Amino acid sequence: MNPFLRLPIAQQVSFTARAVAQAQSANYHQGEDIRLHLVVRGHDGQPCLIANDLVAGQWGEELRLPLSPAEALAPRVGVAFTGEGIFVTPPGGEAVAFRPDRPIPQSLVLRRGPDIEIGEGEAVAPSEAAPIALEGDGVIEAAGTLPGTDRRLLILRLADAALEAALTAAPVPLRLGDGAAVPAMLCAFDAGEGQLGLLAAISDSEAVPTSAELLPPGLPPLRLTPPPGQRLAPHPLPAELLAKLQRHLAVARGPARADMERLLQRAFTGRDTLTWLSSPVRMAVTRLVLTGEGVLLQGTFSDPRGAVTAIRLRRGDAAVPLAWLDTAEAGFLARAALNGPLGEAWIEVALNTGETGTLPLPLAEPAEIPALRAILDGAGTIPSAQLDHAFDAVLGPPLLALHRRRLARPMAVQAHSFGTPPESPRASVVIPLHGRLDMLPVQMALFSGCDMAEDEVIFVLDDPPLRAAALAMAKSVWQCFGVPLRLILPAEQRGFGPASNLGLQHSRGQVVCFLNADAFPQATDWLTRLVAALDDATVGAAGARLLYPDGSLQHGGMTPEPAPDRAGWVFPEHPGKGLRPHAASPEPREVEAITGACLALRRDVAERLGGFDPDYVIGDFEDADLCARLRRDGLRCVVEDRATLVHLEGQFQGRATGGPGRWNLTLLNAWTYNRRWHAAA
């Protein structure tokens, strides 16, 4: 007997004594799934016929049908795959429906143990529901859009079964409501009581199927309405409609049946159906992140013939277009503006032939910094011409939302004091630490020789794995240099801005000076000069002159300037960087912006502004943003040249460096800054 089976079928499965003894099984396969698995074995001391299935790699709950000892010696089991479902008939028993809630398969392959025999069985006639009463020509029993396709499917019933040949020989025009008539693919099935059942597939439209007309050539129009007593035709859920269509299609007739079967195969079944398309389209989604501002997808895509016309994310009946960004080596990043739980969702790919294919989605990854970094690293080098689209449409909103959601979580914080700081500090020096601790004792040694007796020093460790080492080092430098300090230990790494703001919250000085851990004072009065510059009420922030170790200028103020090779986005530039510094000004001089590597504010100003804006990830642009807010409020930014420090620059990026993702992270912050302050540039 041919192992390839088409429905409907009825078979008798005979287990020999040897098959029972060796627990041989009969398995009806649909692709990779086993839709019916039959075996005879004991359960709690009772011989049973066991029916089960393996769908999508998961075994379902067993159906156990008890057998008498005599029946279990060599049982004969009836199996029927009908348009109404799968039925199993144990020896001497009645037919039992197996998995009646699942759509039936279209075709099967039988694989069985060597001692199991297969013969023709008796068809099972399941109880039929009461027929639908018809008035006039017929009714629309059900209608709905088929997920994963561009088609609407209808189940129709006509009063005149003799019309089958006229309606199924060729496509027949069908009109929904007052819409235009479109060709309908029709195949027929027996609806009982002399009625003709029709499955109809038409191009999807917005029309609500409150009525329909079939327009067969040479015959009067056939008008169809909802069943009597219903104002509108029912709209079952897509899964319910799909199961019903498959049951009817298993026994349907007409030339359109094969086309209808192919159409139903295009519906989402949880599998990749792109290989079924007529063009060699390949796509894989390797990363999915739910961000609160849409779904971010990352993967690979190939369309060598340019046949793809649309790629959408589907969730039930909703089809959401993807904002798309090509990346290196046939990769892509895409965003679907869809929020909330995904539920059953998939990718739909449409070709210029009208075909559609489906692609399942992977499980969502945790919306954490590792996912953010992986996405930015996978973006590779983004061309200047694509920067606006890449961040406006694809990367910017979802990654910013991901970052904000992460920062909104409550976080445990510990604070440790070493020595006794001044009771009312003149200034608080706040220093974030990340990646390295070896410069902390150097900085504290220099502070011990500065005019800082009235000030407090606060280190914020933005690197939880280094907690034990930081505590030991803080204790050591206090014992060595006698300069009091405090160590703030947050439970999570959150970046330069949030770490600096945490230090602000724990500070008590009238002036707060944010300082990098790789900045070392040359002048003993550096902090005194910054505090004095802030005595002027028109000054919002004061910064120091920063030099490289070779004496060349690293920072003497910043100027936001457009970068033509970066989509014209504005970046803070350092005039004179790397050159010999000019003579020190005898007074603080006004600049457009100051680097966050050494930036002092009065406490009232810092608290009113909330410190650095935490929207900037890891550490970029938050200083330029803070200075822009100060200028917006009418306050000036100044640099005090006589407050000089050596700045090694970038020594505390730590594990944030490496790979193309670091530059893309800078671009993400540049996008945030430019959309906020230079949107019209």
Side-chain angles (χ1 to χ4, degrees):
M1 181 176 292
N2 189 336
F4 185 78
L5 308 172
R6 300 287 296 182
L7 275 61
I9 59 169
Q11 294 184 332
Q12 181 173 273
V13 181
S14 297
F15 292 82
T16 66
R18 182 183 177 89
V20 172
Q22 295 183 353
Q24 296 177 18
S25 62
N27 298 280
Y28 292 84
H29 288 254
Q30 179 190 17
E32 298 174 358
D33 294 338
I34 301 175
R35 295 302 306 273
L36 179 62
H37 164 78
L38 293 174
V39 67
V40 177
R41 67 167 186 261
H43 179 75
D44 292 337
Q46 168 78 37
C48 292
L49 171 66
I50 306 294
N52 205 348
D53 60 8
L54 177 68
V55 177
Q58 297 292 324
W59 286 99
E61 185 177 353
E62 294 179 344
L63 171 65
R64 303 186 187 99
L65 303 175
L67 302 175
S68 69
E71 291 170 341
L73 290 176
R76 294 182 177 181
V77 179
V79 174
F81 290 81
T82 77
E84 298 300 323
I86 304 173
F87 295 86
V88 177
T89 305
E94 299 293 329
V96 177
F98 178 74
R99 302 280 190 260
D101 56 328
R102 285 186 173 166
I104 63 169
Q106 296 301 301
S107 61
L108 295 163
V109 173
L110 173 60
R111 297 186 177 97
R112 66 185 191 274
D115 301 301
I116 295 176
E117 300 174 356
I118 303 296
E120 297 293 333
E122 295 183 1
V124 174
S127 58
E128 295 285 349
I132 296 176
L134 302 183
E135 293 181 1
D137 299 320
V139 299
I140 307 170
E141 181 185 338
T145 299
L146 181 63
T149 76
D150 59 352
R151 299 298 183 93
R152 176 174 291 189
L153 302 183
L154 302 94
I155 301 176
L156 312 175
R157 289 178 184 257
L158 298 183
D160 189 354
L163 293 172
E164 177 179 336
L167 295 174
T168 59
V172 173
L174 183 147
R175 176 184 292 117
L176 284 183
D178 297 327
V182 294
M185 179 196 306
L186 298 171
C187 51
F189 63 92
D190 292 327
E193 299 294 321
Q195 300 173 7
L196 174 65
L198 291 173
L199 301 180
I202 62 172
S203 298
D204 198 11
S205 69
E206 299 296 327
V208 178
T210 57
S211 65
E213 276 189 319
L214 280 170
L215 308 173
L219 294 175
L222 301 172
R223 183 167 179 81
L224 301 99
T225 59
Q230 297 187 27
R231 296 179 58 192
L232 296 176
H235 285 67
L237 294 175
E240 297 171 354
L241 178 57
L242 181 59
K244 198 167 191 177
L245 286 161
Q246 288 176 323
R247 288 198 297 270
H248 289 316
L249 186 60
V251 294
R253 302 176 297 272
R257 174 176 170 171
D259 291 333
M260 185 76 78
E261 287 178 339
R262 284 192 291 271
L263 178 63
L264 288 179
Q265 286 177 334
R266 294 293 190 266
F268 181 63
T269 60
R271 290 189 176 88
D272 180 351
T273 63
L274 299 185
T275 56
W276 301 351
L277 299 175
S278 61
S279 187
V281 175
R282 298 294 180 266
M283 183 175 179
V285 177
T286 57
R287 176 169 286 107
L288 183 152
V289 183
L290 306 177
T291 69
E293 278 292 335
V295 180
L296 265 181
L297 306 172
Q298 188 174 25
T300 58
F301 175 75
S302 173
D303 177 22
R305 298 180 186 172
V308 174
T309 58
I311 303 177
R312 298 175 283 262
L313 186 147
R314 294 199 66 123
R315 181 174 65 183
D317 288 332
V320 183
L322 295 179
W324 191 271
L325 176 66
D326 287 316
T327 60
E329 297 180 358
F332 74 89
L333 287 164
R335 174 192 174 209
L338 186 68
N339 292 317
L342 272 185
E344 186 181 44
W346 63 95
I347 294 295
E348 176 185 79
V349 178
L351 302 190
N352 50 21
T353 60
E355 300 170 83
T356 59
T358 61
L359 182 73
L361 293 171
L363 294 176
E365 292 189 12
E368 300 290 345
I369 280 292
L372 183 151
R373 285 179 174 162
I375 289 169
L376 289 172
D377 192 60
T381 301
I382 303 173
S384 175
Q386 295 185 27
L387 284 179
D388 286 323
H389 167 76
F391 286 92
D392 286 340
V394 183
L395 296 173
L399 291 183
L400 184 55
L402 182 155
H403 178 61
R404 287 174 174 172
R405 185 165 64 181
R406 185 181 69 91
L407 294 184
R409 292 194 306 245
M411 180 179 65
V413 177
Q414 294 181 2
H416 296 264
S417 296
F418 300 87
T420 304
E423 186 172 338
S424 299
R426 175 188 66 167
S428 300
V429 181
V430 174
I431 307 168
L433 295 172
H434 180 85
R436 296 177 61 175
L437 300 176
D438 55 324
M439 297 186 191
L440 188 155
V442 178
Q443 208 169 33
M444 289 298 291
L446 292 171
F447 290 166
S448 67
C450 291
D451 179 16
M452 296 176 60
E454 301 177 19
D455 308 314
E456 65 174 355
V457 179
I458 300 172
F459 288 94
V460 182
L461 181 67
D462 192 41
D463 200 341
L466 297 179
R467 175 175 296 193
L471 284 168
M473 183 164 288
K475 180 179 180 180
S476 173
V477 297
W478 153 243
Q479 293 173 340
C480 184
F481 302 114
V483 178
L485 72 152
R486 282 199 288 164
L487 182 61
I488 311 301
L489 303 174
E492 296 179 6
Q493 177 198 349
R494 295 199 167 179
F496 174 80
S500 297
N501 293 345
L502 185 60
L504 171 62
Q505 295 169 19
H506 284 79
S507 67
R508 297 174 298 125
Q510 295 306 303
V511 168
V512 178
C513 178
F514 298 110
L515 186 68
N516 274 16
D518 56 354
F520 307 108
Q522 280 195 328
T524 59
D525 62 347
W526 70 279
L527 187 54
T528 298
R529 290 190 178 278
L530 294 181
V531 170
L534 292 170
D535 287 341
D536 185 339
T538 68
V539 173
R545 169 185 278 183
L546 304 181
L547 304 176
Y548 286 116
D550 64 0
S552 61
L553 182 68
Q554 189 267 319
H555 168 265
M558 297 192 304
T559 303
E561 296 180 1
D565 60 339
R566 301 169 191 169
W569 290 3
V570 171
F571 283 72
E573 300 295 340
H574 292 239
K577 185 174 183 177
L579 303 179
R580 184 186 301 275
H582 54 72
S585 172
E587 299 292 337
R589 54 187 178 81
E590 185 171 353
V591 295
E592 283 196 70
I594 299 167
T595 179
C598 182
L599 189 153
L601 306 92
R602 290 186 296 275
R603 165 171 294 282
D604 61 329
V605 173
E607 291 181 339
R608 175 169 56 81
L609 294 179
F612 294 112
D613 191 316
D615 276 355
Y616 298 94
V617 188
I618 303 299
D620 276 315
F621 286 86
E622 55 268 275
D623 45 14
D625 179 276
L626 177 60
C627 294
R629 287 184 283 149
L630 290 168
R631 293 198 308 273
R632 177 198 60 195
D633 293 348
L635 295 173
R636 298 185 299 131
C637 299
V638 300
V639 166
E640 174 54 84
D641 290 331
R642 294 166 294 179
T644 305
L645 294 88
V646 171
H647 184 212
L648 302 186
E649 190 178 23
Q651 294 297 310
F652 281 82
Q653 293 292 339
R655 289 183 293 275
T657 60
R662 185 62 186 92
W663 174 243
N664 289 334
L665 184 58
T666 295
L667 290 175
L668 173 63
N669 289 330
W671 172 81
T672 300
Y673 173 76
N674 277 266
R675 292 302 177 257
R676 185 173 296 171
W677 298 107
H678 301 280

